[in-house]
Amino acid sequence: MSDADDLLAQLLANKDRKALAVWAADCAEHVLLYFEEKYPEDDRPRKAIEVARAFARGEIRVGVARQAALAAHAAARDATDDAARAAARAAGHAAATAHVARHALGPVMYATKAAGFAAN
């Protein structure tokens, strides 16, 4: 196992999902504009990011975060633009981090995809 693999394993083993949720929300927020530019009336991904932050502050429970994650993923399914779809998925995974720590990797992967699609 490499040092990076060890670091990643430690991060995901972290029981502090609140810290992971903040990090995941930060990642997703960087590409949210790709969704909002195409679908300005659809706030489901933005709400998912806000919910991830609210979970981190201890203001909501996991069930609320899970519902916000599902809504953001529904927004991704509704999107026809690749960058927007990936950005919505990043937001959905940010909120889902409240439920399962491994979802914290989703915003990184999908934000990278969103940026790549937007660059093309």
Side-chain angles (χ1 to χ4, degrees), residues 14-91:
N14 183 349
K15 299 301 180 197
D16 187 0
R17 285 192 319 270
K18 291 179 179 182
L20 288 172
V22 170
W23 178 69
D26 287 347
C27 290
E29 196 166 42
H30 283 290
V31 295
L32 182 61
L33 65 107
Y34 300 131
F35 184 86
E36 292 183 331
E37 285 176 350
K38 298 288 184 179
Y39 308 99
E41 302 300 318
D42 191 341
D43 65 352
R44 293 175 289 179
R46 177 168 291 282
K47 283 187 176 181
I49 292 169
E50 291 170 358
V51 163
R53 293 187 190 290
F55 171 78
R57 292 189 301 268
E59 298 171 358
I60 61 157
R61 298 184 63 129
V62 171
V64 174
R66 189 170 182 272
Q67 291 303 311
L70 293 172
H73 286 298
R77 286 190 303 276
D78 292 342
T80 58
D81 179 80
D82 290 335
R85 185 180 305 114
R89 293 239 181 256

